[in-house]
Amino acid sequence: MKIIRSIKKLDQALLVLRQKGKRIGFVPTMGCLHEGHLSLVRYAQRENDVVVVSIFVNLTQFGPREDFKRYPRDLKQDQKFLKKAGVDYLFVPLRTSIYPKNFKNFIEPGPLARHLCGPKRPGHFRGVATVVHRLFKLVKPNVAYFGEKDYQQARIIAELVRRLRLPVKIRTCPIVREKDGLAMSSRNQYLSKKERICARAIYQSLKQAKKLIHSGERNILRIKRAIREILASCVDKIDYIEVANPKTCAPVKTIRNTALIAIACYVGSTRLIDNFLVKL
Ligand code: PAF
């Protein structure tokens, strides 16, 4: 695995591959890698000739009171992990490569950011859209891979690609879960033993909501109440429980065909998100 830090080196390496007609699969990450990231790498390897992974903890997607400083970073461990997985290139840009002096090209995330995490994390999706756009311009991948755990993020990026006519295909891949159902996330590391047990309730509440819907329940308030009842004794704060349109991420009044059930809550001081896409 080649580790690349400069844009010039990245251009040199990838230009040759592109000229040879190789397909480039790209997995952008913020590091602290886990099985969820690895599954994206595997999809990318199956569908492309070359795989590039980037690690960049992107300051602009963190709010002023969020965890940018304490966000887990372990480049050595990540390197080992990716090398073992057979990744071809690891791109670890400097902050100034992503945000050169006087950088102004911030990308607005569009109407999808008005819902779910958008209002709870002002500026977050603008930061995500900006860094992903910048990374796409640098890596110029054929396909980029995102996890369904960050469902809204993946939708925003797919919409951005469509709006700006970027020459990249977006692939959204299934959530990877721990044995007890907790969605894998770098932030799970923050959880104490007790909190980690409590966090199971998120998956359990989603399963219960799905069961209710499949048994004919269509009343959104009752579905949300069932989720809240399971979460109430386990989590410290509920940011939102939403039944949304999977295309727009906007809350729905009735369930038709497919519904996105999305949760954001705090276990201790750790904010966790999860979702189920329920098909009727
Ligand atoms: O999902 C993430 O890890 C980040 O939001 C991303 C897409 C790498 C942008 O910083």
Side-chain angles (χ1 to χ4, degrees):
M1 182 178 73
K2 209 162 179 307
I3 300 166
I4 299 184
R5 287 191 167 266
S6 81
I7 296 179
K8 197 169 155 206
K9 289 257 163 64
L10 182 78
D11 279 344
Q12 282 168 353
L14 298 186
L15 184 67
V16 182
L17 296 169
R18 262 183 239 109
Q19 281 168 344
K20 287 185 186 159
K22 304 277 185 204
R23 275 175 71 81
I24 299 172
F26 178 43
V27 183
T29 81
M30 297 206 298
C32 190
L33 305 173
H34 50 69
E35 277 301 313
H37 296 109
L38 205 57
S39 86
L40 300 181
V41 166
R42 283 197 215 100
Y43 279 104
Q45 284 171 327
R46 243 175 270 148
E47 298 169 6
N48 300 276
D49 303 304
V50 176
V51 173
V52 180
V53 174
S54 68
I55 295 181
F56 181 70
V57 185
N58 175 40
L59 173 67
T60 65
Q61 70 187 75
F62 290 80
R65 279 185 297 277
E66 291 184 359
D67 54 343
F68 174 71
K69 277 213 178 109
R70 86 167 174 138
Y71 195 83
R73 293 160 173 89
D74 193 345
L75 189 56
K76 280 261 140 49
Q77 186 56 38
D78 288 347
Q79 267 171 237
K80 270 194 214 156
F81 200 60
L82 294 174
K83 197 170 165 198
K84 193 160 168 237
V87 165
D88 303 285
Y89 295 94
L90 170 60
F91 179 42
V92 191
L94 296 174
R95 198 188 291 182
T96 47
S97 302
I98 299 295
Y99 298 112
K101 220 171 158 210
N102 298 325
F103 177 87
K104 285 196 184 72
N105 193 17
F106 283 94
I107 306 293
E108 293 306 326
L112 275 155
R114 284 188 207 137
H115 312 291
L116 307 178
C117 288
K120 300 287 175 186
R121 301 186 68 189
H124 168 66
F125 287 122
R126 185 177 191 250
V128 170
T130 302
V131 76
V132 170
H133 178 260
R134 181 88 183 114
L135 287 166
F136 283 175
K137 291 280 172 197
L138 297 176
V139 179
K140 304 179 192 70
N142 297 85
V143 193
Y145 295 80
F146 295 88
E148 212 163 67
K149 184 181 79 70
D150 298 297
Y151 183 93
Q152 188 178 15
Q153 165 174 282
R155 278 292 302 124
I156 286 173
I157 292 162
E159 223 11 65
L160 177 98
V161 162
R162 196 192 61 78
R163 198 174 77 219
L164 302 181
R165 296 170 190 258
L166 303 178
V168 52
K169 189 175 161 213
I170 301 302
R171 283 269 280 119
T172 308
C173 305
I175 298 177
V176 179
R177 297 182 179 280
E178 301 285 355
K179 276 204 185 90
D180 63 359
L182 180 67
M184 288 201 183
S185 162
S186 307
R187 289 189 169 99
N188 292 352
Q189 282 200 8
Y190 298 149
L191 301 170
S192 68
K193 262 196 184 144
K194 199 170 154 229
E195 288 168 348
R196 174 63 188 78
I197 293 167
C198 292
R200 287 178 191 161
I202 302 170
Y203 178 66
Q204 283 158 3
S205 70
L206 285 167
K207 264 202 325 196
Q208 177 61 17
K210 183 175 170 181
K211 197 169 144 195
L212 278 176
I213 295 171
H214 281 158
S215 64
E217 182 61 87
R218 294 290 177 271
N219 184 304
I220 304 290
L221 291 179
R222 278 203 287 269
I223 295 166
K224 287 201 212 178
R225 193 187 311 137
I227 295 176
R228 189 169 295 110
E229 271 166 16
I230 295 175
L231 291 182
S233 57
C234 305
V235 312
D236 295 277
K237 185 184 149 201
I238 295 173
D239 233 3
Y240 63 75
I241 297 167
E242 211 53 88
V243 183
N245 177 321
K247 200 159 172 243
T248 62
C249 293
V252 291
K253 290 204 174 76
T254 46
I255 300 176
R256 288 198 190 93
N257 305 325
T258 315
L260 174 74
I261 311 174
I263 295 176
C265 61
Y266 285 84
V267 179
S269 59
T270 305
R271 188 176 189 273
L272 299 174
I273 58 170
D274 200 351
N275 68 79
F276 264 24
L277 210 51
V278 181
K279 293 193 175 88
L280 295 189

